[in-house]
């Protein structure tokens, strides 16, 4: 994984969002939702754990992907509650398809359907990008 991969993903997401704004805010949100789902879903280009399945780097790639998810969502101006719920809803879908399950209930109970450990790393990525946007280096 490239050292500047998170910044590349943030730039790509920003470019898609800017282009999608011609469809208006509601249209842009729908376009972003489809784009981000495709990128982060299992097997998507930004699902790093799937690229390292069966290797000693799997856990690190999983953490990187969660950190990246938090950072990308923060870069788009989305709030943490929405970000964590998006992750939780995705995890519920993975669970229903026979994959690992999380805890909590989307929109109601933390971590909103995601795993607690994943939620913590998503928060780190989210906070990292928020601090960067606020001028921290």
């Amino acid at each position: 994984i490239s050292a500047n991969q998170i910044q590349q993903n943030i730039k790509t997401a920003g470019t898609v969002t800017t282009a999608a704004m011609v469809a208006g805010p509601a249209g842009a949100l729908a376009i972003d939702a489809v784009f981000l789902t495709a990128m982060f879903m299992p097997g998507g280009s930004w699902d790093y754990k799937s690229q390292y399945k069966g290797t000693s780097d799997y856990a690190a790639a999983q953490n990187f992907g969660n950190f990246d998810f938090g950072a990308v969502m923060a870069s788009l101006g989305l709030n943490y509650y929405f970000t964590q719920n998006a992750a939780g809803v995705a995890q519920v879908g993975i669970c229903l398809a026979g994959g690992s399950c999380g805890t909590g209930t989307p929109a109601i109970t933390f971590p909103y359907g995601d795993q607690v450990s994943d939620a913590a790393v998503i928060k780190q990525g989210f906070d990292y990008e928020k601090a960067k946007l606020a001028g921290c280096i």
Side-chain angles (χ1 to χ4, degrees):
I1 301 171
S2 163
N4 65 347
Q5 189 64 56
I6 291 171
Q7 291 309 310
Q8 288 176 7
N9 294 352
I10 285 170
K11 183 179 178 186
T12 300
T15 300
V16 168
T17 299
T18 299
M21 286 305 287
V22 299
L29 183 61
I31 291 166
D32 273 352
V34 169
F35 170 75
L36 293 170
T37 299
M39 298 308 281
F40 284 112
M41 68 185 277
S45 298
W46 296 349
D47 175 29
Y48 298 100
K49 68 182 178 290
S50 70
Q51 299 170 26
Y52 290 88
K53 194 169 190 163
T55 73
S56 60
D57 293 325
Y58 179 83
Q62 181 178 8
N63 284 335
F64 182 87
N66 285 317
F67 188 97
D68 182 50
F69 179 77
V72 168
M73 298 297 271
S75 77
L76 295 174
L78 300 168
N79 68 39
Y80 179 69
Y81 178 77
F82 178 88
T83 297
Q84 190 54 58
N85 271 281
V89 167
Q91 193 64 52
V92 168
I94 291 167
C95 177
L96 292 173
S100 60
C101 300
T103 59
T105 305
I108 299 172
T109 311
F110 182 84
Y112 310 111
D114 202 3
Q115 287 108 355
V116 173
S117 58
D118 289 352
V121 179
I122 289 168
K123 178 87 165 97
Q124 290 173 345
F126 189 89
D127 290 347
Y128 161 84
E129 185 57 23
K130 283 294 193 182
K132 194 163 184 235
L133 291 169
C136 292
I137 297 175

